[in-house]
Amino acid sequence: MTRRRIWTVVVVAFVAGAALAVAVMTVAEDESPPVTTAAASPAVSQVPESRAELVEAWSAELEQAGKQLPEGWEALTTDEIRGRYVHQRVVNAPSAEDIDPGMERRVND
């Protein structure tokens, strides 16, 4: 056999092997279990980011509680305003009793 013929046989065998591998891979069924993904977390924070937005949101929460911005609030840092806004929001949140009256009942009753 000539060298050229040997190389031709090698190349043809390689191409045939590759084609066979691709065919087997496409026909083979995926036996792995289905993947379950968690719900995506919100991409945007629900807490305002800018100082002006925080002051506006904090004022609204205080107004809901029947209060006003404290004197000297302008001297607070943005992080302090954020903390006070979040705190007021928690204070204003409805209690479990407001959401579901009788929530303290026992399960076995």
Side-chain angles (χ1 to χ4, degrees):
M1 264 187 158
T2 65
R3 228 179 208 181
R4 179 176 268 194
R5 186 168 242 188
I6 292 173
W7 279 110
T8 305
V9 169
V10 168
V11 169
V12 168
F14 179 77
V15 170
L20 180 63
V22 169
V24 168
M25 297 277 289
T26 57
V27 171
E29 291 185 31
D30 186 14
E31 295 179 11
S32 61
V35 177
T36 304
T37 57
S41 61
V44 180
S45 173
Q46 294 182 2
V47 176
E49 294 295 323
S50 74
R51 182 179 179 91
E53 291 172 337
L54 281 167
V55 170
E56 184 179 330
W58 185 30
S59 297
E61 290 293 331
L62 286 171
E63 186 177 311
Q64 183 180 347
K67 301 177 182 178
Q68 296 179 359
L69 288 171
E71 203 166 305
W73 68 267
E74 296 92 351
L76 296 173
T77 66
T78 302
D79 285 338
E80 290 171 328
I81 293 172
R82 182 176 295 111
R84 290 185 180 204
Y85 160 69
V86 170
H87 171 75
Q88 189 62 49
R89 198 166 163 185
V90 169
V91 169
N92 288 354
S95 67
E97 184 64 30
D98 294 336
I99 295 172
D100 185 9
M103 184 114 173
E104 71 282 345
R105 69 184 179 270
R106 293 184 180 184
V107 176
N108 296 331
D109 286 347

